[in-house]
Amino acid sequence: PNGMDFPSLKFLFTCCNGLRSVIPSDIGNHGQLVELDLSHNQLSGSIPPSFENLVELSILWLSNNKLTGAIPSFLGNFPELVVLGL
């Protein structure tokens, strides 16, 4: 998704694809995302600060990756978030 521009993107599922990278910060530019599943890959690094813009998320799956760092406190401010898989 790095460098992609989809202004109406609401769902992004890339689970189980063997992705090896950091999470692209560009995903945070899609504030209209409702569901984001990046689980079961080999993503590393931390959750990008740009994810703070994803306030419409109801489902966020990041589990089964190689992420490091603290869980950002802004995730607790997402009013629609009902599923959080870390």
Side-chain angles (χ1 to χ4, degrees):
N2 197 12
M4 296 172 69
D5 184 24
F6 296 103
S8 300
L9 188 66
K10 294 200 179 283
F11 306 93
L12 180 60
F13 302 101
T14 63
C15 69
C16 307
N17 280 297
L19 300 176
R20 297 172 191 246
S21 179
V22 297
I23 298 174
S25 61
D26 288 6
I27 292 175
N29 296 336
H30 298 283
Q32 70 284 356
L33 276 172
V34 175
E35 295 184 26
L36 177 60
D37 187 349
L38 303 175
S39 66
H40 298 274
N41 285 292
Q42 295 184 23
L43 298 170
S44 59
S46 59
I47 298 171
S50 64
F51 271 37
E52 188 168 11
N53 300 323
L54 302 178
V55 296
E56 299 296 321
L57 279 180
S58 61
I59 298 174
L60 175 60
W61 287 106
L62 299 173
S63 59
N64 293 300
N65 280 293
K66 297 179 179 183
L67 299 177
T68 57
I71 298 169
S73 61
F74 61 74
L75 291 177
N77 298 330
F78 289 2
E80 305 299 323
L81 193 63
V82 294
V83 175
L84 176 61
L86 300 173

